[in-house]
Amino acid sequence: MPIVRLMLYPLFLDTICSLTVPESAEYQQLTEAKVGMEHMADYINEMQRINDQFGVLFQQLLVECAFTEPWLSASVNALCHNMDVMWLNANQSLMHGHSWKKGIGPKVRCFVFKTVVIILAEQINSKRKSTKNLADVPAPQQISCTMDDLRFWTVVRTSRAKVVDLPDSDGVTGMWQLVNKTTQPATTYLFRNQ
């Protein structure tokens, strides 16, 4: 399988580096290639982890939203960006009694695909009063995220979404809005990058 071989290239390049004179131009080029291959391997591992953890859930969410257009895709192949963000204007009922300081809100995961944006807020563990974050679970123990693991989710078509970068205010930086123009009136989600 080509992906398996790709993961072995950093080891191969490391072996060649060990047999090359450190002061040579070839050694520098091999070192740069090794670093690039390690970054590629990390990226592939991250995409595989996201697919294993959320792939089935993404498809369930599209079905739940009655998005039947074949061109709407939430597969990892169409994933452009994913990040954890603070949701600054979250509905109080989603916070389960938590109060947040200004500029801080519940952590949500935002997945941007070519055709849809998916926002997930995972359950809060009531015993420990901390957000359940499946991304922090060690790889051998990871399980797939299900609808039951979520306290909030939404799917927005990118064709009906508008992203607005907001200026810094009161020492809070990295704020932006996602406007869902599908709903009437439009729904605005206010986020802050972590």
Coordinates of all heavy atoms in Angstrom, one line a residue, residues 59-101:
Q59 N -21.1 11.9 7.9 CA -22.1 11.4 7.0 C -23.5 11.4 7.6 O -24.5 11.7 7.0 CB -21.7 10.0 6.4 CG -20.4 10.0 5.7 CD -20.2 11.1 4.7 OE1 -21.1 11.4 3.9 NE2 -19.1 11.8 4.8
Q60 N -23.6 11.0 8.9 CA -24.9 11.0 9.6 C -25.4 12.4 9.7 O -26.7 12.6 9.6 CB -24.7 10.4 11.0 CG -24.5 8.9 11.1 CD -24.1 8.5 12.5 OE1 -23.7 9.2 13.4 NE2 -24.4 7.2 12.8
L61 N -24.6 13.4 9.9 CA -25.1 14.7 10.0 C -25.6 15.2 8.7 O -26.6 15.9 8.7 CB -23.9 15.7 10.5 CG -23.5 15.4 11.9 CD1 -22.3 16.3 12.3 CD2 -24.6 15.6 13.0
L62 N -25.0 14.9 7.6 CA -25.5 15.3 6.3 C -26.9 14.6 6.0 O -27.8 15.3 5.5 CB -24.5 14.9 5.2 CG -23.2 15.7 5.1 CD1 -22.4 15.2 3.9 CD2 -23.5 17.2 5.0
V63 N -27.0 13.4 6.4 CA -28.3 12.7 6.3 C -29.4 13.4 7.2 O -30.5 13.6 6.8 CB -28.2 11.2 6.6 CG1 -29.6 10.5 6.7 CG2 -27.3 10.5 5.5
E64 N -29.0 13.7 8.4 CA -29.9 14.3 9.4 C -30.4 15.7 8.9 O -31.5 16.0 9.1 CB -29.2 14.5 10.7 CG -30.0 15.0 11.9 CD -30.9 13.9 12.5 OE1 -30.6 12.7 12.3 OE2 -31.9 14.3 13.1
C65 N -29.5 16.4 8.2 CA -29.9 17.7 7.6 C -30.7 17.5 6.3 O -31.0 18.5 5.7 CB -28.7 18.5 7.4 SG -27.9 19.0 8.9
A66 N -30.9 16.3 5.8 CA -31.5 16.0 4.5 C -30.8 16.7 3.4 O -31.4 17.1 2.4 CB -33.0 16.5 4.6
F67 N -29.4 16.7 3.5 CA -28.6 17.2 2.4 C -28.4 16.0 1.5 O -27.6 15.1 1.8 CB -27.3 17.7 2.9 CG -27.3 19.0 3.6 CD1 -26.2 19.5 4.3 CD2 -28.5 19.8 3.6 CE1 -26.3 20.7 5.0 CE2 -28.6 21.0 4.3 CZ -27.4 21.4 5.0
T68 N -29.1 15.9 0.4 CA -29.0 14.7 -0.5 C -28.2 15.0 -1.8 O -28.0 14.1 -2.6 CB -30.4 14.3 -0.9 OG1 -31.1 15.4 -1.5 CG2 -31.2 13.8 0.3
E69 N -27.8 16.2 -2.0 CA -27.1 16.5 -3.2 C -25.8 15.7 -3.2 O -25.0 15.8 -2.2 CB -26.7 18.0 -3.3 CG -28.0 18.9 -3.4 CD -28.4 19.4 -2.0 OE1 -28.2 18.7 -1.0 OE2 -29.1 20.5 -2.0
P70 N -25.5 15.0 -4.3 CA -24.3 14.2 -4.3 C -23.0 15.0 -4.2 O -22.0 14.4 -3.8 CB -24.4 13.4 -5.6 CG -25.4 14.2 -6.5 CD -26.3 14.9 -5.5
W71 N -23.0 16.2 -4.6 CA -21.8 17.0 -4.6 C -21.5 17.6 -3.2 O -20.4 18.1 -3.0 CB -21.9 18.2 -5.6 CG -23.1 19.0 -5.5 CD1 -24.3 18.8 -6.2 CD2 -23.3 20.1 -4.7 NE1 -25.2 19.8 -5.8 CE2 -24.6 20.6 -4.9 CE3 -22.5 20.8 -3.8 CZ2 -25.2 21.7 -4.2 CZ3 -23.1 21.9 -3.1 CH2 -24.4 22.3 -3.4
L72 N -22.4 17.5 -2.2 CA -22.1 17.9 -0.9 C -21.3 16.8 -0.2 O -21.8 15.7 -0.1 CB -23.4 18.1 -0.1 CG -24.1 19.4 -0.4 CD1 -25.5 19.5 0.3 CD2 -23.3 20.6 -0.2
S73 N -20.1 17.1 0.2 CA -19.2 16.1 0.8 C -18.6 16.5 2.1 O -18.2 17.7 2.2 CB -18.1 15.8 -0.2 OG -17.2 14.9 0.4
A74 N -18.7 15.6 3.0 CA -18.0 15.8 4.3 C -17.0 14.7 4.5 O -16.8 14.2 5.6 CB -19.0 15.9 5.4
S75 N -16.3 14.3 3.5 CA -15.3 13.3 3.6 C -14.0 13.9 3.9 O -13.8 15.1 3.5 CB -15.2 12.4 2.3 OG -14.6 13.2 1.3
V76 N -13.1 13.2 4.5 CA -11.8 13.8 4.8 C -11.0 14.3 3.6 O -10.3 15.2 3.7 CB -11.0 12.8 5.7 CG1 -9.6 13.3 5.9 CG2 -11.6 12.5 7.0
N77 N -11.3 13.7 2.5 CA -10.6 14.1 1.2 C -11.0 15.5 0.9 O -10.3 16.2 0.2 CB -11.0 13.2 0.1 CG -10.5 11.8 0.2 OD1 -9.6 11.6 1.0 ND2 -11.1 10.8 -0.5
A78 N -12.2 16.0 1.3 CA -12.7 17.3 1.0 C -12.5 18.3 2.2 O -12.9 19.4 2.1 CB -14.2 17.3 0.7
L79 N -11.8 17.8 3.2 CA -11.5 18.7 4.4 C -10.4 19.7 4.1 O -9.3 19.4 3.7 CB -11.1 17.8 5.6 CG -10.9 18.6 6.9 CD1 -12.2 19.2 7.4 CD2 -10.4 17.6 8.0
C80 N -10.8 21.0 4.2 CA -9.8 22.1 3.9 C -9.1 22.6 5.2 O -8.0 22.9 5.2 CB -10.6 23.2 3.3 SG -11.4 22.9 1.8
H81 N -9.9 22.6 6.3 CA -9.3 23.1 7.6 C -10.2 22.6 8.8 O -11.4 22.4 8.6 CB -9.4 24.6 7.5 CG -8.6 25.3 8.6 ND1 -7.2 25.2 8.7 CD2 -9.0 26.0 9.7 CE1 -6.8 25.9 9.7 NE2 -7.9 26.4 10.3
N82 N -9.5 22.4 9.9 CA -10.2 22.0 11.1 C -9.5 22.7 12.3 O -8.3 22.8 12.2 CB -10.4 20.5 11.3 CG -9.1 19.8 11.7 OD1 -8.8 19.7 12.9 ND2 -8.3 19.4 10.8
M83 N -10.3 23.1 13.3 CA -9.7 23.8 14.4 C -10.6 23.8 15.6 O -11.9 23.6 15.5 CB -9.4 25.3 14.0 CG -10.7 26.1 13.7 SD -10.4 27.6 12.8 CE -11.5 27.4 11.5
D84 N -10.1 24.0 16.8 CA -10.8 24.2 18.0 C -11.0 25.7 18.2 O -10.0 26.4 18.0 CB -10.1 23.6 19.2 CG -10.1 22.1 19.2 OD1 -11.0 21.5 18.6 OD2 -9.2 21.5 19.8
V85 N -12.2 26.1 18.5 CA -12.5 27.5 18.7 C -13.3 27.7 19.9 O -14.0 26.8 20.3 CB -13.2 28.2 17.4 CG1 -12.2 28.2 16.2 CG2 -14.5 27.5 17.1
M86 N -13.3 28.9 20.5 CA -14.2 29.3 21.5 C -15.5 29.9 20.9 O -15.4 30.8 20.1 CB -13.6 30.3 22.5 CG -12.5 29.7 23.3 SD -13.1 28.6 24.5 CE -11.6 28.1 25.3
W87 N -16.6 29.4 21.4 CA -17.9 29.9 20.9 C -18.4 31.0 21.8 O -18.8 30.7 22.9 CB -18.9 28.8 20.8 CG -20.2 29.1 20.1 CD1 -20.6 30.3 19.5 CD2 -21.3 28.2 20.0 NE1 -21.8 30.2 19.1 CE2 -22.3 28.9 19.4 CE3 -21.6 26.9 20.5 CZ2 -23.6 28.3 19.1 CZ3 -22.8 26.4 20.2 CH2 -23.8 27.1 19.5
L88 N -18.3 32.3 21.4 CA -18.5 33.4 22.3 C -20.0 33.7 22.5 O -20.3 34.3 23.5 CB -17.7 34.6 21.8 CG -16.2 34.4 21.7 CD1 -15.6 35.7 21.1 CD2 -15.6 34.0 23.0
N89 N -20.8 33.4 21.5 CA -22.2 33.7 21.7 C -23.1 32.5 21.8 O -24.2 32.5 21.3 CB -22.7 34.7 20.6 CG -22.7 34.0 19.2 OD1 -22.0 33.0 19.0 ND2 -23.5 34.6 18.3
A90 N -22.6 31.5 22.5 CA -23.3 30.2 22.6 C -24.6 30.4 23.5 O -24.6 31.2 24.4 CB -22.4 29.1 23.2
N91 N -25.6 29.7 23.1 CA -26.8 29.7 23.9 C -26.5 29.2 25.3 O -25.8 28.2 25.5 CB -27.8 28.8 23.2 CG -29.2 28.8 23.9 OD1 -29.3 28.8 25.1 ND2 -30.2 28.8 23.0
Q92 N -27.0 29.9 26.3 CA -26.8 29.6 27.7 C -27.2 28.1 28.0 O -26.6 27.5 28.9 CB -27.5 30.5 28.7 CG -26.9 31.9 28.7 CD -25.4 31.9 29.2 OE1 -25.1 31.2 30.2 NE2 -24.6 32.7 28.6
S93 N -28.2 27.6 27.4 CA -28.7 26.2 27.7 C -27.6 25.2 27.3 O -27.6 24.1 27.8 CB -30.0 26.0 27.0 OG -29.8 26.0 25.6
L94 N -26.8 25.6 26.4 CA -25.7 24.6 25.9 C -24.5 24.6 26.9 O -23.7 23.7 26.9 CB -25.2 25.0 24.6 CG -26.2 24.9 23.4 CD1 -25.6 25.5 22.2 CD2 -26.6 23.5 23.2
M95 N -24.5 25.6 27.8 CA -23.3 25.7 28.7 C -23.5 24.9 30.0 O -22.5 24.8 30.7 CB -23.0 27.2 29.0 CG -22.7 28.0 27.7 SD -22.1 29.6 28.2 CE -22.1 30.4 26.7
H96 N -24.6 24.3 30.2 CA -24.8 23.5 31.4 C -24.4 24.2 32.7 O -23.7 23.6 33.5 CB -24.1 22.2 31.2 CG -24.6 21.4 30.0 ND1 -25.7 20.6 30.1 CD2 -24.1 21.2 28.8 CE1 -25.9 20.0 28.9 NE2 -24.9 20.3 28.1
G97 N -24.8 25.4 32.8 CA -24.5 26.1 34.1 C -23.1 26.7 34.2 O -22.8 27.3 35.2
H98 N -22.3 26.5 33.2 CA -21.0 27.1 33.2 C -21.1 28.6 32.9 O -21.9 29.0 32.1 CB -20.0 26.5 32.2 CG -19.6 25.1 32.5 ND1 -18.4 24.8 33.1 CD2 -20.3 23.9 32.5 CE1 -18.3 23.5 33.3 NE2 -19.4 22.9 32.9
S99 N -20.3 29.4 33.6 CA -20.2 30.8 33.2 C -18.8 31.0 32.7 O -17.8 30.4 33.1 CB -20.4 31.7 34.5 OG -19.5 31.4 35.5
W100 N -18.7 31.9 31.7 CA -17.5 32.1 31.0 C -17.1 33.6 31.1 O -17.9 34.5 31.1 CB -17.6 31.8 29.5 CG -18.1 30.4 29.3 CD1 -19.4 30.0 29.2 CD2 -17.4 29.2 29.3 NE1 -19.5 28.6 29.1 CE2 -18.3 28.1 29.2 CE3 -16.0 28.9 29.4 CZ2 -17.9 26.8 29.1 CZ3 -15.6 27.6 29.4 CH2 -16.5 26.5 29.2
K101 N -15.8 33.9 31.2 CA -15.3 35.2 31.2 C -15.5 35.8 29.9 O -15.6 35.1 28.9 CB -13.8 35.2 31.6 CG -13.5 34.7 33.0 CD -12.0 34.7 33.2 CE -11.7 34.0 34.6 NZ -10.3 33.9 34.8

